[in-house]
Amino acid sequence: MTSLFRTGLPAFVMVAGLGFLALLPVLAEWVDNIFLIDLFMRLMILSIAAVGLNLILGYGGMVSFGHAAYLVIGAYAVGIPAYYDIYDGFLQFAIAIVASAAVALVTGAIALRTKGVYFIMITMAFAQMVYFTFVSIEEYGADDGLTINMRSEFAGLLDIEDNFTLYYFVLVSLIAVLGLVYRIVHSRFGMVISGAKGNERRMQAIGFPTYRYRLVCYVISGAICGYAGALLGNFTNFITPEMGDWVHSGELIFMVVLGGAGSLFGPVLGTAVFILLEEYLSRLTQYWHFPFGAMLILVVIFTRGGINGMFRWLGMKSGIGGRS
Amino acid sequence: MDWGLFTIQMLNGVQLGVLLFLLAAGLTLVFGIMDFVNLAHGSLYMMGAYFCATLVQLTDSFVLGVILALPLTALLGWIVELIVVRALYTHDHLDHVLATFGMILCFDTAVDFIWGPTGMAIPLPEVLDSHIDLFGGHTFPVFRILIISTGLAVAGFLYVMVSHTRIGMLIRAGASNRTMVMALGVDIGKLFALVFAVGAALAGLAGMLIAPITEASIGMGNEIIIVAFVVIIIGGIGSIKGAFVAAMLVGLIDTMGRSFLDQLLKVFMSSESAETSAPALSAMAIYILMAMVLAFRPQGLFPPKVR
Amino acid sequence: MSGAFLEVRNLYKSYGGIAATDHVDLDVRQSELHAIIGPNGAGKTTLISQLSGEIDPDGGTIRFDGRDMTRTPAYKRSLLGLARSFQITSLMLDMTVLENVALAVQAHAGHSFRFWQAARKDPALTEPAMAALEAVGLQDRANDIAQAMSHGEHRQLEIAMALATNPVLLLLDEPMAGMGVEESQRMVEILRSLKGEKTMLLIEHDMDAVFALADRISVLVYGRVIATGTPEEIRGDEAVRRAYLGDEVA
Ligand SMILES: Nc1ncnc2c1ncn2[C@@H]1O[C@H](COP(=O)(O)OP(=O)(O)OP(=O)(O)O)[C@@H](O)[C@H]1O
Ligand SMILES: [Mg+2]
């Protein structure tokens, strides 16, 4: 019916993609390259964050330039309890979600009073505040970071100390988050969010207190990123405030836009391209950021709507993972 | 309370405020007039510092280095406007943010490639590298006084230019009503390029002034640019006056918070909890200020009249 | 207590010292179609925007159905039964026609903090939405993207969205602006069919339509109401003739 929420990507391609991710550990064993598991685990964790960001950026039209902050909050929600020898995963993940939601609620309540560039800069500033807050806490290592000695424990149900298990835990999380976002954007709530993106004034005139809905959307988005942060903390075993630097927030936006903002699988695709390209270029040259940055500029100038837009630009009928 | 130390920190606060103003002035003008969000403004700050460092090495003179580096940074700004920024005016803010983010990556890598990963110090001539006596046995570096006076002079110059010249009139009009300026038959492309180049030179100047203290280093602009954003949000995007007032506020609150917040907190709480909470609180101070200003005035303190 | 359904007293709004709404008094009675006419820039849109809550007045009061809502936010006024259409079409252009209208229905069907059930196929939303589309004759375009429609259809969609909120008072800002003769005719029919059922405040430049439809007319010039009365009274009003109608209704 509509083009807004259609994923564009044929179902079998998505299933194939997820199937590939599911088989990857086996594949990695087979080609004897365990590093691949780490690479794809990072890819999936950042995908979750990108999918969370896409909820407000792509569907809601709110350009948050501070979502890496929620990654840090989530990571420290694992790290700080672990510092006190508390490894209960249920507790850690609950803290991650609640704490990021709480921060999103407070900062979002202020940021959403503004529009456009103000919103971009304010979310950026608040993220920087979170960053500096962790930098200033000596107890948890300040900018030297914090080592996590043991991964989260789930009452013996799941042992993610094992990389394989953690990998599948992340994969299931990704699928669950995709499912959640799918439901949300198709729900009444999702309709309000995308309506407010299209024309907030009209939405108010027909009876929606848009601010509330946007704020709740912002909070959900922050919580998803916080969850991704908790996964990231488990994955890296070593966390620093630097993970929340605004440069990383910029990368997250890039991942979303690259894959096609406002489509379900777009952010996953964008993250995959981003991470794999980064991996590839950084092997070629230590100066890989240069071609990377240049590509970013070119993509923005010459194509609108990310990879999806690029395909359209190249004359293909329907892009991958895009809005159509 | 040690009033000598207090005075020194006040001066340090003013000095930070002045630097922030130099950065924020260009940022706020570029946004106010071109409706363009430039994350890479901090890169121009960094490039200014590196240009200056190299030229000081070549000429053996700090003053000459600055004088030569200024037009060079302006030229760089002009080229950037011509090649990249101009293509982006018709795009939305998200695109601006992404493309200028890409520019930051390019600039940082280019600096790494040309000057190497370690920073570059800028040696000062003896006159500037000395201290003057303050009361209470304290001293204050002459160079910081130079920074403050340069910054104030630039602020005064900008004020006169914006409020009393034809270009300034166009700039003010541009910040509040773009279509009107175009209706006046002004070559808007030239005006944009000029403003961008001037903004670049101002950012570069800030970099040149701070580098002798901190040295020029990769990514040096990436942190301070956020604070500059906070400044223009508080001041009201597009307003030079707002940028100045907000820069001073932010500079002072940040510096004073870091130096004296623990003492202030000790009045209310145990000295132990004051010492643990003070660093985090002072790190947040300017953002809390921003939040408070926005709560009452979502458009900042001095919003340009009509958008 | 005066009997007026919508009661505006002393409403004032100025832009840079120039009064766009200059101490306006206005009474709209229940079930009437009250037209506001006036030359370009008279302040008609500004007035409607204050009634709908989009613009805050500088002074004065607005009472609707007995309650003061001078400072009530726009969305609440909509929930109280006040709906407006926009002179400059204001739609969710990237959504379909049906989605636009369904959103208007949804806004009045309880809160929308419902995150799980799909909204698009929900008959509780689509059925009333289709009914509103039928009322304006857009049922065949339900699944087209709003962007792709003609200007006239946009105007019709504007009305359908206002209707879908099931309002008691409709504020219509030049529904016929920019329409062809046939489309205008159709719009007049739509408005006529709503007459008596809804209270309407209609801004319109098309004098034939206004005099054919209105029960009463107020004339706004330079932000001030210079006359209010039945079409006959207005036609005969010397001040109105001089200030506005002049040659148009001769
Ligand atoms: N946001 C604004 N800022 C400044 N002036 C405004 C603003 N909105 C309206 N005005 C002025 O207020 C006056 C009334 O405008 P308004 O749009 O209400 O007139 P109108 O009667 O609806 O005109 P039209 O028949 O052209 O639709 C005009 O002089 C207009 O220029
Ligand atoms: Mg009007």
Side-chain angles (χ1 to χ4, degrees):
Chain A
M1 177 166 95
T2 170
S3 65
L4 248 200
F5 299 111
R6 225 183 43 208
T7 54
L9 199 63
F12 75 89
V13 180
M14 297 177 222
V15 173
L18 290 175
F20 170 77
L21 285 174
L23 290 178
L24 184 102
V26 185
L27 229 77
E29 288 260 283
W30 192 48
V31 298
D32 200 22
N33 189 351
I34 295 302
F35 169 73
L36 279 179
I37 298 185
D38 276 2
L39 181 68
F40 275 84
M41 197 141 46
R42 204 159 73 84
L43 191 159
M44 287 192 295
I45 292 171
L46 291 176
S47 289
I48 295 175
V51 169
L53 175 60
N54 186 37
L55 187 59
I56 56 164
L57 194 155
Y59 292 107
M62 296 167 261
V63 183
S64 163
F65 212 110
H67 260 48
Y70 302 107
L71 282 178
V72 177
I73 293 171
Y76 274 85
V78 174
I80 293 175
Y83 178 77
Y84 296 108
D85 289 325
I86 300 167
Y87 297 101
D88 182 349
F90 294 112
L91 182 69
Q92 290 174 339
F93 277 78
I95 294 175
I97 290 169
V98 172
S100 5
V103 172
L105 182 68
V106 174
T107 60
I110 294 163
L112 284 168
R113 284 170 51 86
T114 65
K115 300 252 139 42
V117 190
Y118 279 87
F119 184 80
I120 297 177
M121 291 183 187
I122 289 161
T123 47
M124 201 172 203
F126 278 128
Q128 203 70 354
M129 177 179 96
V130 170
Y131 168 74
F132 279 121
T133 306
F134 281 109
V135 165
S136 68
I137 307 178
E138 294 290 339
E139 187 68 14
Y140 307 126
D143 41 2
D144 291 335
L146 191 62
T147 304
I148 299 174
N149 291 320
M150 252 200 305
R151 285 177 178 167
S152 303
E153 284 168 350
F154 292 94
L157 296 170
L158 197 68
D159 179 21
I160 59 171
E161 206 58 58
D162 170 42
N163 250 355
F164 266 55
T165 321
L166 180 60
Y167 182 94
Y168 284 106
F169 183 56
V170 171
L171 177 62
V172 170
S173 298
L174 174 61
I175 293 170
V177 166
L178 281 170
L180 178 74
V181 169
Y182 178 84
R183 293 308 291 238
I184 289 177
V185 299
H186 284 81
S187 71
R188 289 192 179 197
F189 178 79
M191 293 300 292
V192 178
I193 292 305
S194 47
K197 175 195 179 187
N199 189 344
E200 185 166 19
R201 189 166 81 119
R202 184 61 193 235
M203 289 294 282
Q204 288 169 350
I206 57 176
F208 287 111
T210 48
Y211 174 82
R212 280 177 220 170
Y213 291 99
R214 294 195 134 173
L215 183 56
V216 169
C217 189
Y218 187 79
V219 169
I220 296 172
S221 165
I224 292 175
C225 283
Y227 181 84
L231 290 175
L232 197 60
N234 272 299
F235 167 66
T236 59
N237 294 341
F238 172 69
I239 57 182
T240 72
E242 197 274 333
M243 294 154 75
D245 191 80
W246 67 271
V247 172
H248 298 303
S249 296
E251 290 173 354
L252 274 180
I253 295 186
F254 187 30
M255 292 170 192
V256 172
V257 173
L258 193 64
S263 72
L264 187 63
F265 282 84
V268 182
L269 184 72
T271 310
V273 172
F274 185 98
I275 297 288
L276 297 177
L277 203 63
E278 175 186 84
E279 194 58 38
Y280 175 71
L281 287 176
S282 63
R283 275 163 201 235
L284 285 185
T285 160
Q286 81 178 95
Y287 303 112
W288 64 274
H289 271 119
F290 195 92
F292 205 69
M295 189 194 77
L296 182 42
I297 297 171
L298 292 177
V299 165
V300 170
I301 292 182
F302 291 108
T303 75
R304 293 173 194 234
I307 297 175
N308 183 49
M310 209 144 67
F311 279 114
R312 224 179 312 143
W313 191 57
L314 293 172
M316 283 174 60
K317 255 196 185 149
S318 96
I320 296 179
R323 288 170 281 211
S324 97
Chain B
M1 180 133 201
D2 182 343
W3 290 107
L5 187 63
F6 188 79
T7 313
I8 288 182
Q9 294 297 16
M10 283 288 276
L11 287 171
N12 283 336
V14 172
Q15 181 233 294
L16 176 60
V18 155
L19 284 175
L20 286 172
F21 170 71
L22 289 178
L23 267 171
L27 208 54
T28 209
L29 280 182
V30 165
F31 182 75
I33 297 169
M34 295 109 131
D35 197 22
F36 182 77
V37 194
N38 185 16
L39 294 187
H41 200 65
S43 296
L44 296 164
Y45 167 85
M46 170 181 74
M47 294 310 286
Y50 272 95
F51 285 155
C52 180
T54 307
L55 287 164
V56 170
Q57 254 180 14
L58 290 177
T59 61
D60 257 335
S61 155
F62 176 70
V63 178
L64 212 55
V66 170
I67 289 175
L68 292 174
L70 272 176
L72 213 55
T73 324
L75 179 70
L76 179 69
W78 185 76
I79 293 172
V80 165
E81 201 272 344
L82 193 72
I83 297 181
V84 181
V85 176
R86 188 162 288 190
L88 290 165
Y89 290 138
T90 52
H91 290 231
D92 62 9
H93 291 147
L94 177 59
D95 281 358
H96 297 172
V97 161
L98 282 170
T100 52
F101 179 64
M103 269 159 62
I104 293 177
L105 298 181
C106 291
F107 273 118
D108 282 353
T109 323
V111 168
D112 187 8
F113 186 75
I114 299 170
W115 285 283
T118 51
M120 263 181 107
I122 298 184
L124 286 174
E126 225 158 276
V127 220
L128 293 178
D129 207 10
S130 57
H131 288 69
I132 57 161
D133 293 325
L134 289 179
F135 56 91
H138 291 282
T139 61
F140 195 73
V142 173
F143 184 64
R144 286 182 188 259
I145 293 177
L146 177 78
I147 296 181
I148 294 173
S149 26
T150 311
L152 293 180
V154 171
F157 173 76
L158 276 181
Y159 177 76
V160 172
M161 202 183 88
V162 169
S163 55
H164 293 295
T165 65
R166 182 180 143 78
I167 292 260
M169 187 272 288
L170 290 177
I171 286 175
R172 265 180 302 141
S176 53
N177 191 341
R178 212 159 300 122
T179 32
M180 189 183 104
V181 174
M182 292 197 239
L184 288 176
V186 174
D187 183 345
I188 208 87
K190 269 201 195 121
L191 182 69
F192 283 8
L194 176 77
V195 170
F196 200 90
V198 170
L202 290 177
L205 178 63
M208 296 168 209
L209 289 175
I210 197 66
I213 301 177
T214 60
E215 80 179 20
S217 62
I218 295 173
M220 63 188 278
N222 296 355
E223 226 166 71
I224 198 163
I225 192 69
I226 307 285
V227 186
F229 279 144
V230 171
V231 165
I232 68 172
I233 290 169
I234 292 177
I237 300 182
S239 162
I240 289 275
K241 180 166 115 197
F244 186 77
V245 173
M248 288 304 153
L249 263 177
V250 167
L252 283 170
I253 288 181
D254 192 59
T255 312
M256 300 311 263
R258 282 177 209 282
S259 340
F260 299 112
L261 191 66
D262 53 343
Q263 289 177 34
L264 187 67
L265 288 179
K266 275 177 196 166
V267 180
F268 308 105
M269 49 175 87
S270 74
S271 68
E272 194 190 335
S273 49
E275 253 152 49
T276 45
S277 57
L281 268 181
S282 55
M284 287 194 239
I286 59 168
Y287 304 102
I288 295 172
L289 173 71
M290 177 187 79
M292 285 193 321
V293 168
L294 286 175
F296 295 103
R297 304 185 66 124
Q299 299 288 303
L301 294 177
F302 302 97
K305 304 251 153 33
V306 199
R307 231 310 107 71
Chain C
M1 152 82 209
S2 73
F5 193 45
L6 178 73
E7 185 187 295
V8 178
R9 286 292 171 271
N10 232 353
L11 201 67
Y12 186 79
K13 175 84 195 174
S14 79
Y15 287 110
I18 297 164
T21 305
D22 195 358
H23 302 284
V24 164
D25 288 344
L26 182 73
D27 286 317
V28 179
R29 298 176 192 149
Q30 187 132 27
S31 301
E32 79 171 335
L33 194 160
H34 193 123
I36 293 185
I37 58 174
N40 288 75
K44 303 181 295 294
T45 300
T46 309
L47 176 61
I48 281 227
S49 297
Q50 290 169 84
L51 298 180
S52 72
E54 240 180 285
I55 296 179
D56 266 340
D58 295 339
T61 55
I62 301 166
R63 295 176 70 83
F64 173 55
D65 207 6
R67 67 170 95 194
D68 183 3
M69 39 166 236
T70 316
R71 305 282 159 198
T72 309
Y75 81 89
K76 264 195 195 144
R77 296 189 201 196
S78 167
L79 296 178
L80 289 171
L82 208 146
R84 79 169 286 185
S85 76
F86 290 83
Q87 177 179 3
I88 297 172
T89 306
S90 176
L91 303 163
M92 277 65 84
L93 287 174
D94 50 359
M95 291 182 154
T96 66
V97 172
L98 182 61
E99 282 166 356
N100 270 279
V101 186
L103 267 170
V105 176
Q106 184 185 324
H108 293 254
H111 69 79
S112 288
F113 290 106
R114 301 181 192 180
F115 302 93
W116 205 247
Q117 236 61 53
R120 271 202 191 74
K121 297 264 155 66
D122 185 347
L125 301 179
T126 52
E127 279 167 17
M130 276 314 286
L133 284 177
E134 268 159 40
V136 300
L138 275 181
Q139 64 275 18
D140 296 335
R141 314 250 9 210
N143 292 329
D144 294 341
I145 300 289
Q147 183 121 48
M149 302 211 306
S150 73
H151 175 77
E153 288 167 324
H154 278 161
R155 307 303 304 160
Q156 286 166 303
L157 180 53
E158 277 280 337
I159 306 292
M161 284 176 78
L163 286 179
T165 63
N166 207 9
V168 287
L169 173 60
L170 270 169
L171 309 170
L172 303 170
D173 196 351
E174 300 195 21
M176 287 151 223
M179 277 187 164
V181 179
E182 239 164 80
E183 288 173 325
S184 288
Q185 206 51 50
R186 182 166 177 94
M187 188 59 76
V188 170
E189 285 319 308
I190 294 170
L191 296 184
R192 204 190 300 280
S193 71
L194 294 169
K195 243 189 107 168
E197 184 191 339
K198 311 268 183 206
T199 311
M200 282 182 270
L201 187 66
L202 170 70
I203 292 178
E204 193 44 68
H205 276 304
D206 182 338
M207 288 306 139
D208 293 339
V210 168
F211 281 92
L213 287 167
D215 299 310
R216 291 197 308 151
I217 298 174
S218 292
V219 184
L220 200 66
V221 179
Y222 293 126
R224 244 173 309 194
V225 176
I226 61 164
T228 298
T230 61
E232 288 68 41
E233 285 166 356
I234 293 298
R235 228 191 279 268
D237 192 304
E238 224 9 76
V240 174
R241 270 175 181 277
R242 240 180 298 123
Y244 177 52
L245 291 177
D247 42 67
E248 268 192 68
V249 182

